[in-house]
Amino acid sequence: MKVHFLDLVSYRKHGEPAKGINPPRLLLEAFLVLIALGACLLKLPFATVEPVTWMEAAFTATSAVTVTGLVVVDTGSQYTLLGQLVILALIQLGGLGLMTFAVLTALALGFKLGLQHQLVAQEAFNEISLQTARRASGSIALFALAAEAVGILLLALFFVPELGLWDGVYHAVFYAISAFNNAGFALSADSLSDYVSHPGITLSVTGLFIIGGLGYIVIMELMDKRRWSRLSVYVKVILLATLFLNLVATGAVLLFEFGNPATLGALDGFWDKLLAAWFQGVTPRTAGFNTLDIGALTTATSVMMLLLMFIGGAPNSTSSGIKISTFVIMLAATRSFLRGNLNVTFFRRSLSSETVLKALATATIGMAVVFVGVLSLSALVEDNFLDIAFEVVSAFGTVGLSRGTTGELGTAGQLVIMAVMLIGRLGPLTLGYTLTVRRKSRVRYAQTEFPVG
Amino acid sequence: MKVHFLDLVSYRKHGEPAKGINPPRLLLEAFLVLIALGACLLKLPFATVEPVTWMEAAFTATSAVTVTGLVVVDTGSQYTLLGQLVILALIQLGGLGLMTFAVLTALALGFKLGLQHQLVAQEAFNEISLQTARRASGSIALFALAAEAVGILLLALFFVPELGLWDGVYHAVFYAISAFNNAGFALSADSLSDYVSHPGITLSVTGLFIIGGLGYIVIMELMDKRRWSRLSVYVKVILLATLFLNLVATGAVLLFEFGNPATLGALDGFWDKLLAAWFQGVTPRTAGFNTLDIGALTTATSVMMLLLMFIGGAPNSTSSGIKISTFVIMLAATRSFLRGNLNVTFFRRSLSSETVLKALATATIGMAVVFVGVLSLSALVEDNFLDIAFEVVSAFGTVGLSRGTTGELGTAGQLVIMAVMLIGRLGPLTLGYTLTVRRKSRVRYAQTEFPVG
Ligand SMILES: [K+]
Ligand SMILES: [K+]
């Protein structure tokens, strides 16, 4: 049996109904089922210290499955160990599950993994066999478990001496899974603020979520090719953009928070400040942990974070947002146009106009979702505009950082944020495909002139 | 002698230096000279009641030349009649001058005006003769003066009975010129708030700035073709989008302000509320007058206005922003991609991929300018984030609405806003061309694959 990827698109192209499995709809349904199941489990008496409402259980389940980390109920104190394990399971299924789906889609659309041991035999465009899908999924799961195992070992080194064996190991497991999946769920209400000056824990956590946020394709190619010159253009661009964004973000936090007595100003010495700036600079692109008080950040830092949260990480990974590739293509297309060159190029390779249009569509839908979300919350919630905008963009990038609005959303506001988290995790294009009316004919029309700008 | 339009681009394409006049640079230089001249005139003793500082004079001149209307010194009470006439002259030169330049560029790039009496003989792409430029400029000036004359007559009908002959006529002249050029300068500190329930004045003013914001090309074609079916695709799209945005904006103001006691709630009766909602709904797309207290608007209305101010009006007009055409093309390109069709079409006509890329570049540079502006002001000015964002987007769209931040900018903040007004009025692409390194070779590279979204 064959799995037909992007059948929704091919349906439109050929004007005939798709046969077999329709992955985008399958994905949406799987997420809804997982959320419903998770909410039921979290509603059971043994999952909570004090009973939670259905709304609280559904919000928690959505936040976990979409690996966001926004919470209306404190994870560490309000959920029992069993409740926390349910949350961990939802995070792993949501984070790893979507990454697997996205990698399979990329393979089916013809993206070559560039591995010596090629996973995918030459198959038809837009489909891969179930056997190939199974092998690829196994390899992705192995990658995730290996990364998480290393993370658990590293974190246990630091947590066990402090918290004892059982509690230390449990913290290591919880934070390793939460970090690799870019979930941002924490066992304390103030996230990792206790460890703001602990290089071992903060660097382990950032390492884990950066690896998860680069995703399977990038990491596998890195392990396989080892030398810069042999990497594919895509992987080079993702690595350079990630490095650039992380350095700029760290610099911005240092610059805008250095004298803020509620954040970096409270820390002694340059190295402690640098460590905290690094952690809080790299965490907005989907991870969502914090070691500084987000509500106390300056407006300038918050504005910088709005952009970082909107961009997110690499495609086919545990991160969300419009994705680094979309952001980079928009900039490169602008540069190309200004140079009078209609080909968008990176490292002497050009992109297809379909890829450029895909980036344009992703960015446009992403902005539309954020705009509608901010407008709705502005009408529904009495709160500061910055805090509202921050909450919505955080939900869209499934980041989980908050300036304090999460607790004041009310039922309607919570439903808005749940919808934005789901759209953000499934991706702007999945929403787009769902809303588009199918079109059967493909007539070519004469060109018209159109002044712009 | 020939005027070579967009020589900057052709320079890049052919790799040889441009001959003759380079219009984008000419435009920037003309604006800078006008601003400097205006600042000197406004600094003269006879122009002001109390002397203004150089910074205040420069800010006023920039705001007038870019037809923005943000003010650090109250126009009606701080400038003398002569000072106000200087401001009016700067508005007319900046508004009409740029519209003329933009229409000439469109003609030189091959846009057909669609007039029976075609202004432009068949000339080479990217150039028009000085004779043609002179004839077209004359026609555009005639259009502007005719519209303003009608505006003055209409407004005098309402102002003269109230203010007496001299003052009434002066108000009519001032507001007609300010409205047609979408300048938003007013003779009272609270703009047109006194006339919130005056249908004659508010409808005349909105009529004038909508005509100015549609611009010469659209209005001439409307007068020439008269029937919908004979209009060009471009003009149809601009008219429909303008209508749609104005209706949505009016509805949004009604919805979000209906119960606000500081705005619509203070007005008696539905028709007064509707009139005020219409005025305040259509004014954010560049005009910038207000009859309601902008600082008292709800957050939801303000968010809606952020979008409207960013979009602006039609190209080749007295309005700014990324332009309606850019906005519409971004949405249409997204729809096309989702339908699996790579051609972007309107009314059975397709756009060139160059036009789509131009819209992408315009929107991207516009967002970058707004982002950098908001980030800078956030670091420089102690004010509410909403008010800061509103101020920057208002400057970018040369709108002139303010939630009160203009008075608190300080010198550095004023310089940021002056730069944003200038970039907004000259257009994002003009900034882009200025910053781009020229490129001489046009090699075609092999395609590469690139996961997105
Ligand atoms: K997260
Ligand atoms: K204006």
Side-chain angles (χ1 to χ4, degrees):
Chain A
M1 188 188 169
K2 300 285 186 182
V3 183
H4 296 256
F5 277 84
L6 288 204
D7 255 345
L8 213 53
V9 178
S10 73
Y11 177 100
R12 267 162 207 143
K13 277 191 178 154
H14 307 304
E16 46 185 47
K19 285 162 199 130
I21 303 166
N22 175 334
R25 210 171 107 193
L26 194 72
L27 184 71
L28 176 63
E29 288 169 358
F31 264 65
L32 292 175
V33 167
L34 255 186
I35 290 169
L37 198 72
C40 293
L41 288 174
L42 294 173
K43 193 75 178 80
L44 292 176
F46 66 76
T48 51
V49 176
E50 299 270 311
V52 293
T53 65
W54 273 110
M55 196 63 207
E56 289 166 339
F59 192 94
T60 306
T62 307
S63 184
V65 171
T66 61
V67 296
T68 305
L70 290 172
V71 290
V72 287
V73 174
D74 180 43
T75 314
S77 63
Q78 297 296 304
Y79 287 106
T80 61
L81 176 63
L82 282 171
Q84 292 170 16
L85 291 178
V86 168
I87 290 172
L88 268 193
L90 295 175
I91 288 171
Q92 185 76 286
L93 288 169
L96 185 56
L98 187 63
M99 179 160 72
T100 305
F101 172 84
V103 172
L104 294 183
T105 306
L107 294 177
L109 288 176
F111 188 81
K112 289 168 200 67
L113 269 183
L115 300 173
Q116 286 185 322
H117 2 271
Q118 191 76 14
L119 278 167
V120 184
Q122 205 58 38
E123 303 189 56
F125 181 80
N126 192 32
E127 59 177 44
I128 56 179
S129 69
L130 273 189
Q131 193 201 347
T132 302
R134 219 175 280 132
R135 279 175 59 198
S137 307
S139 170
I140 296 165
L142 198 68
F143 155 65
L145 295 180
E148 287 171 0
V150 173
I152 291 170
L153 282 177
L154 272 173
L155 288 172
L157 280 180
F158 308 115
F159 278 123
V160 169
E162 193 185 325
L163 305 168
L165 184 64
W166 161 241
D167 223 30
V169 169
Y170 180 63
H171 272 66
V173 170
F174 189 96
Y175 281 110
I177 293 178
S178 183
F180 178 78
N181 288 293
N182 272 277
F185 274 84
L187 293 169
S188 308
D190 60 357
S191 191
L192 290 165
S193 297
D194 287 347
Y195 305 101
V196 59
S197 300
H198 194 308
I201 288 176
T202 51
L203 293 179
S204 301
V205 167
T206 52
L208 272 170
F209 70 63
I210 289 174
I211 287 173
L214 286 171
Y216 175 76
I217 288 178
V218 172
I219 300 294
M220 283 299 124
E221 193 176 305
L222 268 181
M223 289 175 64
D224 196 50
K225 298 290 175 67
R226 286 157 194 274
R227 279 169 56 184
W228 179 257
S229 60
R230 292 162 69 198
L231 293 178
S232 67
V233 171
Y234 169 67
V235 170
K236 281 182 187 168
V237 170
I238 291 291
L239 289 174
L240 285 180
T242 300
L243 183 67
F244 176 78
L245 287 173
N246 284 348
L247 292 182
V248 167
T250 305
V253 175
L254 259 189
L255 177 68
F256 296 132
E257 299 300 326
F258 204 86
N260 184 348
T263 59
L264 291 189
L267 299 174
D268 292 328
F270 180 76
W271 294 108
D272 274 15
K273 288 182 164 76
L274 183 65
L275 186 69
W278 159 260
F279 190 87
Q280 212 55 79
V282 298
T283 198
R285 288 189 308 98
T286 298
F289 296 100
N290 59 289
T291 52
L292 300 177
D293 178 0
I294 300 298
L297 294 173
T298 63
T299 307
T301 306
S302 308
V303 170
M304 194 70 211
M305 285 190 180
L306 286 174
L307 177 64
L308 294 166
M309 296 195 295
F310 186 70
I311 296 172
N316 318 313
S317 75
T318 60
S319 59
S320 304
I322 59 166
K323 308 289 157 57
I324 286 184
S325 48
T326 302
F327 178 68
V328 168
I329 290 172
M330 294 291 283
L331 295 183
T334 302
R335 181 195 59 176
S336 293
F337 176 79
L338 293 174
R339 284 180 172 175
N341 183 350
L342 300 187
N343 284 306
V344 180
T345 57
F346 292 109
F347 293 111
R348 296 168 180 258
R349 286 288 175 280
S350 69
L351 302 185
S352 69
S353 58
E354 181 166 5
T355 302
V356 175
L357 212 52
K358 192 174 187 181
L360 182 156
T362 304
T364 304
I365 301 173
M367 286 184 284
V369 169
V370 167
F371 177 77
V372 172
V374 171
L375 189 65
S376 313
L377 272 206
S378 297
L380 293 169
V381 179
E382 282 291 328
D383 208 343
N384 185 298
F385 176 62
L386 177 58
D387 299 357
I388 286 175
F390 204 90
E391 192 81 10
V392 172
V393 178
S394 177
F396 174 76
T398 71
V399 180
L401 297 177
S402 174
R403 291 178 59 90
T405 303
T406 325
E408 296 162 32
L409 289 173
T411 305
Q414 285 177 12
L415 288 171
V416 170
I417 291 294
M418 284 163 71
V420 175
M421 291 193 287
L422 194 59
I423 293 167
R425 186 59 187 145
L426 296 180
L429 288 182
T430 305
L431 171 72
Y433 288 136
T434 316
L435 295 180
T436 313
V437 179
R438 287 156 186 178
R439 191 187 159 98
K440 303 206 174 177
S441 70
R442 297 189 76 205
V443 188
R444 283 198 137 262
Y445 297 116
Q447 276 201 1
T448 186
E449 301 161 79
F450 221 93
V452 174
Chain B
M1 188 187 167
K2 301 284 187 183
V3 183
H4 295 257
F5 277 84
L6 289 204
D7 255 345
L8 214 51
V9 178
S10 73
Y11 177 98
R12 271 164 205 139
K13 276 192 177 150
H14 306 306
E16 45 187 47
K19 287 163 199 129
I21 303 166
N22 175 333
R25 211 172 104 191
L26 195 71
L27 184 71
L28 175 64
E29 287 168 359
F31 265 65
L32 291 176
V33 167
L34 257 184
I35 290 169
L37 199 70
C40 292
L41 288 173
L42 293 173
K43 191 76 179 81
L44 292 176
F46 67 77
T48 52
V49 177
E50 300 271 312
V52 292
T53 64
W54 273 110
M55 196 63 207
E56 289 166 339
F59 192 93
T60 306
T62 307
S63 184
V65 172
T66 60
V67 296
T68 304
L70 290 173
V71 290
V72 286
V73 174
D74 180 42
T75 314
S77 62
Q78 296 297 304
Y79 287 105
T80 61
L81 175 64
L82 282 170
Q84 292 169 16
L85 290 179
V86 168
I87 290 172
L88 268 192
L90 295 175
I91 288 171
Q92 185 77 284
L93 288 169
L96 185 57
L98 188 63
M99 180 160 72
T100 306
F101 173 82
V103 173
L104 294 183
T105 305
L107 293 177
L109 288 176
F111 188 81
K112 290 167 199 68
L113 267 184
L115 301 172
Q116 286 184 323
H117 359 274
Q118 191 76 14
L119 279 166
V120 184
Q122 205 57 38
E123 303 190 58
F125 181 81
N126 192 31
E127 61 176 42
I128 57 180
S129 69
L130 272 188
Q131 193 200 349
T132 303
R134 220 176 278 133
R135 280 176 59 199
S137 307
S139 171
I140 297 166
L142 197 69
F143 155 66
L145 294 178
E148 287 170 0
V150 173
I152 290 169
L153 283 176
L154 272 171
L155 288 172
L157 280 180
F158 308 115
F159 277 124
V160 168
E162 195 186 322
L163 304 169
L165 183 66
W166 161 240
D167 224 32
V169 169
Y170 180 63
H171 271 68
V173 170
F174 189 95
Y175 281 110
I177 293 177
S178 184
F180 177 79
N181 288 292
N182 272 277
F185 273 84
L187 292 168
S188 309
D190 60 357
S191 191
L192 290 164
S193 297
D194 286 349
Y195 305 101
V196 59
S197 300
H198 194 307
I201 289 176
T202 51
L203 293 179
S204 301
V205 167
T206 52
L208 272 170
F209 70 63
I210 289 174
I211 287 173
L214 286 171
Y216 175 77
I217 288 179
V218 173
I219 300 293
M220 284 299 124
E221 193 176 305
L222 268 180
M223 290 176 64
D224 196 52
K225 299 290 176 68
R226 286 158 193 273
R227 281 170 55 187
W228 178 258
S229 61
R230 293 162 67 200
L231 294 177
S232 67
V233 170
Y234 168 69
V235 170
K236 283 182 185 168
V237 170
I238 291 291
L239 289 174
L240 285 179
T242 300
L243 183 67
F244 176 79
L245 286 173
N246 284 347
L247 293 181
V248 167
T250 305
V253 176
L254 260 188
L255 177 68
F256 296 133
E257 299 299 325
F258 205 87
N260 183 349
T263 58
L264 291 189
L267 300 174
D268 292 330
F270 180 76
W271 294 108
D272 275 13
K273 287 185 183 12
L274 183 64
L275 186 68
W278 159 260
F279 190 87
Q280 211 55 80
V282 298
T283 198
R285 287 189 308 97
T286 298
F289 296 101
N290 58 288
T291 53
L292 300 176
D293 178 1
I294 300 298
L297 294 173
T298 63
T299 307
T301 306
S302 309
V303 170
M304 194 71 209
M305 286 190 179
L306 286 175
L307 177 64
L308 294 166
M309 297 195 295
F310 186 70
I311 296 173
N316 317 315
S317 76
T318 60
S319 60
S320 305
I322 58 166
K323 308 290 156 55
I324 286 185
S325 48
T326 302
F327 179 67
V328 168
I329 291 172
M330 293 292 283
L331 295 183
T334 301
R335 181 196 60 178
S336 293
F337 176 79
L338 293 174
R339 284 178 170 175
N341 183 349
L342 300 188
N343 284 306
V344 180
T345 58
F346 293 108
F347 293 111
R348 296 169 181 258
R349 287 288 175 280
S350 69
L351 302 185
S352 69
S353 58
E354 181 166 4
T355 302
V356 176
L357 212 52
K358 192 174 185 180
L360 182 156
T362 305
T364 304
I365 300 173
M367 287 183 282
V369 169
V370 167
F371 177 77
V372 172
V374 171
L375 189 65
S376 312
L377 273 207
S378 297
L380 293 169
V381 180
E382 280 292 328
D383 206 343
N384 186 298
F385 175 62
L386 177 58
D387 299 356
I388 285 175
F390 204 90
E391 191 81 10
V392 172
V393 179
S394 177
F396 175 75
T398 70
V399 180
L401 297 177
S402 175
R403 292 179 58 90
T405 303
T406 324
E408 295 163 33
L409 288 173
T411 305
Q414 285 177 12
L415 288 171
V416 170
I417 291 294
M418 285 164 72
V420 175
M421 292 193 286
L422 194 60
I423 293 168
R425 186 59 187 144
L426 297 181
L429 287 183
T430 305
L431 172 72
Y433 289 136
T434 315
L435 295 180
T436 313
V437 179
R438 287 157 184 175
R439 193 186 155 97
K440 304 208 173 177
S441 70
R442 296 190 76 207
V443 189
R444 283 197 136 263
Y445 297 116
Q447 278 201 359
T448 185
E449 302 160 76
F450 221 93
V452 174

Coordinates of all heavy atoms in Angstrom, one line a residue, chain A residues 67-69 182-184 286-288 398-400, ligand 1:
Chain A
V67 N 3.1 21.0 21.9 CA 4.4 21.3 22.5 C 4.6 22.8 22.7 O 5.6 23.4 22.4 CB 5.6 20.8 21.7 CG1 5.6 19.3 21.7 CG2 5.7 21.3 20.3
T68 N 3.5 23.5 23.3 CA 3.6 24.9 23.6 C 4.1 25.2 24.9 O 5.1 26.0 25.1 CB 2.2 25.5 23.4 OG1 1.7 25.2 22.1 CG2 2.3 27.0 23.5
G69 N 3.5 24.8 26.0 CA 3.9 25.1 27.3 C 3.2 26.2 28.0 O 3.6 26.6 29.1
N182 N 10.9 20.7 22.4 CA 10.7 22.1 22.4 C 9.3 22.5 23.0 O 8.6 23.3 22.6 CB 10.7 22.7 20.9 CG 12.1 23.1 20.5 OD1 12.5 24.2 20.8 ND2 12.8 22.2 19.8
A183 N 9.0 21.7 24.1 CA 7.7 21.8 24.7 C 7.7 23.0 25.8 O 6.6 23.6 26.0 CB 7.3 20.5 25.4
G184 N 8.7 23.2 26.5 CA 8.8 24.3 27.4 C 8.0 24.0 28.7 O 7.8 24.9 29.5
T286 N 10.6 28.8 19.8 CA 9.8 27.6 20.1 C 10.0 26.9 21.4 O 9.0 26.4 22.0 CB 9.9 26.6 18.9 OG1 9.4 27.1 17.7 CG2 9.1 25.4 19.3
A287 N 11.2 26.9 22.0 CA 11.4 26.1 23.2 C 10.5 26.6 24.3 O 9.7 25.9 24.9 CB 12.9 26.2 23.6
G288 N 10.7 27.9 24.7 CA 9.8 28.5 25.7 C 10.1 28.3 27.1 O 9.3 28.7 28.0
T398 N 4.1 28.1 19.1 CA 4.1 27.1 20.2 C 5.3 27.2 21.1 O 6.0 26.3 21.4 CB 4.0 25.6 19.6 OG1 5.2 25.3 19.0 CG2 2.9 25.5 18.6
V399 N 5.5 28.5 21.6 CA 6.7 28.8 22.4 C 6.4 28.6 23.9 O 7.1 27.8 24.5 CB 7.1 30.3 22.2 CG1 8.3 30.6 23.0 CG2 7.3 30.6 20.7
G400 N 5.3 29.2 24.4 CA 5.0 29.0 25.7 C 5.4 30.1 26.7 O 5.1 30.0 27.9
Ligands
K1 K 7.3 25.4 23.5

